[in-house]
Amino acid sequence: MAGSGPDVVIVTGGSRGIGAAIALRAARAGYAVVVNYSADADGAAAVVGTILAGGGSALAVRADVGDPDAVTALFDAARALGPLAAVVNNAGITGNLIGPLAEVPAATVRRVLEVNAAGLIFVCQEAVRRLSRDRGGRGGSIINISSTATKAGSPGTWVHYAASKGAVDVLTVGLAAEVATQGIRVNCVAPGSTNTGLHAAAGMPDRVERLNSTIPMGRGAEPDEVAAAVLWLLSAEAGYITGAVLPVSGGR
């Protein structure tokens, strides 16, 4: 049986960066938060600890979104906190490298697509199974995290990553139309250059700063600015919005 309590949001990849900012902002908005992680147990524990210290409800759950069985287990674990209301599909990787597509190892391509594209699909499938009113659910919201890298394709750096995020945009539009009558809204937030550890992990810690001159607002985003857009799309104020891809990019 599902536990009783506040509305629950699952945030995949919630242990750091944009995912952590979304989890913390969701907790402040009154959600019970499932902080999903794949490897960063310490980061997930820190996010959960911050939420609990603030009087909120949270749970860290390890699951590789590229594994559909692990995704099912993640959703099962979320029932302990209360009724599921929303899912933020944030987990994503670059393969921790920067360079031309011809030099990206096959194993990296497969893993990036497994997490960013297949994993996204697995999470959306399970979310629909749990939220759809046609399946006995109470409706809810799915937010997918894409990237404005899909606009130019990230030549010379992350073409493989940009391609995987293109799948996020297409899935958002198609799934939104498919489940609109089932009480589920599906939207997407596409961050631009953002101050997270993603760039340092790929070997270019100053990448955001290098891109500042190409951004009309002259700076990269902070993770909490992306999180604010996510929480707005989850809110009743955005109740008539579905199938949208919202850039949070400073105009780039």
Side-chain angles (χ1 to χ4, degrees):
M1 296 291 290
S4 60
D7 285 349
V8 173
V9 59
I10 296 172
V11 181
T12 68
S15 65
R16 56 191 172 188
I18 291 172
I22 293 167
L24 294 171
R25 188 173 272 266
R28 294 196 296 270
Y31 285 97
V33 185
V34 177
V35 179
N36 160 252
Y37 69 98
S38 177
D40 187 10
D42 290 343
V47 174
V48 168
T50 299
I51 292 171
L52 296 179
S57 178
L59 174 68
V61 179
R62 184 180 184 277
D64 179 347
V65 298
D67 177 353
D69 291 336
V71 170
T72 299
L74 166 64
F75 278 75
D76 287 344
R79 299 174 65 194
L81 290 184
L84 184 66
V87 176
V88 180
N89 230 333
N90 170 75
I93 61 173
T94 66
N96 289 345
L97 55 79
I98 288 178
L101 182 65
E103 296 178 9
V104 180
T108 299
V109 172
R110 290 192 183 98
R111 181 58 179 160
V112 167
L113 292 174
E114 181 179 53
V115 173
N116 297 2
L120 178 97
I121 291 172
F122 297 149
V123 172
C124 283
Q125 287 179 317
E126 198 62 37
V128 171
R129 292 168 186 148
R130 309 282 178 134
L131 294 173
S132 170
R133 290 175 183 161
D134 291 357
R135 295 170 178 262
R138 59 192 206 119
S141 185
I142 300 170
I143 307 292
N144 298 320
I145 305 299
S146 179
S147 170
T148 56
T150 60
K151 292 183 178 181
S154 293
T157 54
W158 286 339
V159 170
H160 62 293
Y161 170 81
S164 74
K165 290 299 188 177
V168 178
D169 294 358
V170 173
L171 182 138
T172 296
V173 174
L175 184 60
E178 187 171 282
V179 300
T181 61
Q182 299 175 37
I184 303 173
R185 293 188 301 112
V186 185
N187 290 294
C188 178
V189 169
S193 181
T194 306
N195 289 305
T196 71
L198 192 75
H199 309 279
M204 193 178 289
D206 61 345
R207 185 168 184 266
V208 174
E209 184 176 337
R210 290 187 184 187
L211 292 172
N212 283 351
S213 63
T214 70
I215 301 170
M217 291 184 69
R219 65 173 179 85
E222 295 301 326
D224 194 56
E225 293 177 305
V226 180
V230 170
L231 267 293
W232 178 74
L233 282 171
L234 288 178
S235 75
E237 292 181 345
Y240 194 59
I241 299 174
T242 196
V245 179
L246 174 63
V248 182
S249 62
R252 184 171 187 262

